[in-house]
Amino acid sequence: FFSASTSELVNGEKEKTTVPLAMRKGAYRAFRYHFFTLVFGSLLIAIIQFVQAVLLYIEHQIPDEVKDSTEYKVISCCIHCFLAYLERIVKIINRNAYIFT
């Protein structure tokens, strides 16, 4: 419905549009201009989560002697904290991008 109102104001002419046609136009515009914003944001989050899963798999493959070292624990903790922080930042940016688009 908002799509029909907007097209009347932009074109400067009064045209009578039925509600189903207006809804179809609005759905088309939403899909055309905003779908790839959703896809890109989801792709970024999926990539970060995939990297986290790969790191967890690698950690399970490391022998126990290495896991007990302090250096390994510090590096592992830093990497996990960085990825969790990065994921939260991307989620916040995506949420705000969805609001603005």
Side-chain angles (χ1 to χ4, degrees), residues 17-82:
T17 308
T18 61
V19 173
L21 179 62
M23 299 213 28
R24 196 175 316 131
K25 284 182 180 179
Y28 170 74
R29 286 184 184 140
F31 181 76
R32 181 176 176 195
Y33 296 112
H34 302 294
F35 178 71
F36 291 105
T37 303
L38 295 171
V39 170
F40 184 69
S42 299
L43 177 68
L44 288 177
I45 292 173
I47 289 172
I48 293 171
Q49 289 177 349
F50 177 74
V51 170
Q52 287 177 338
V54 168
L55 286 176
L56 284 175
Y57 175 75
I58 291 172
E59 282 183 2
H60 288 291
Q61 301 300 320
I62 294 176
D64 289 335
E65 298 84 31
V66 177
K67 287 183 182 179
D68 293 335
S69 69
T70 307
E71 295 87 8
Y72 170 78
K73 290 179 182 178
V74 169
I75 291 172
S76 175
C77 182
C78 288
I79 291 173
H80 284 290
C81 288
F82 174 74

